[in-house]
Amino acid sequence: MTHPILPAPFADLAPLAAHWARPSENERSEIRWSASPAEFKALYEAMMPRLDDILRLLSDHPASGMPEEVHDLFLLACAFAEASPHHELYGGSSAVPYSFDARRFVRTDGDAAL
């Protein structure tokens, strides 16, 4: 995603969406596996205070047939959900401590777009 479209109240999150929001889990995982502690922190600090508002807006739209700007926000919320443990629990590491390397687990349906 190079030019995300977000609802007006969340337009300032467009640079984060351009980096993090991807239509498939495999694509979001690639971003997450290469993220730095600073990138995890920036995503977390921008999204966490607004999460209630984001989820409230998303709850007003069915999963299928979302307007494009809402769908892009949904993808950013997915990326946040997948990345936030790296900030909260793993000290900004893209790896999970004391675990197998996540790249060893190959999802056969992970390329399906949301």
Side-chain angles (χ1 to χ4, degrees), residues 1-46:
M1 175 177 303
T2 56
H3 301 288
I5 301 170
L6 299 175
F10 305 103
D12 60 302
L13 298 175
L16 287 172
H19 179 72
W20 288 94
R22 297 289 185 270
S24 75
E25 183 177 350
N26 285 349
E27 290 174 277
R28 291 189 306 276
S29 292
E30 288 294 330
I31 300 294
R32 192 173 68 252
W33 294 332
S34 66
S36 69
E39 289 171 316
F40 284 124
K41 182 179 180 181
L43 177 65
Y44 191 89
E45 289 182 349

Side-chain angles (χ1 to χ4, degrees), residues 45-109:
E45 289 182 349
M47 292 287 291
M48 191 62 180
R50 301 173 74 185
L51 195 56
D52 285 342
D53 293 334
I54 290 168
L55 295 177
R56 192 173 302 108
L57 184 133
L58 292 176
S59 72
D60 291 337
H61 299 278
S64 60
M66 284 184 188
E68 183 178 2
E69 68 273 7
V70 175
H71 188 256
D72 289 348
L73 185 63
F74 168 71
L75 294 176
L76 182 58
C78 289
F80 172 75
E82 295 159 353
S84 62
H86 295 273
H87 177 74
E88 292 177 337
L89 305 172
Y90 313 140
S93 172
S94 61
V96 177
Y98 310 107
S99 179
F100 291 104
D101 184 343
R103 291 175 182 93
R104 291 180 59 188
F105 298 97
V106 179
R107 293 218 27 183
T108 58
D109 63 344

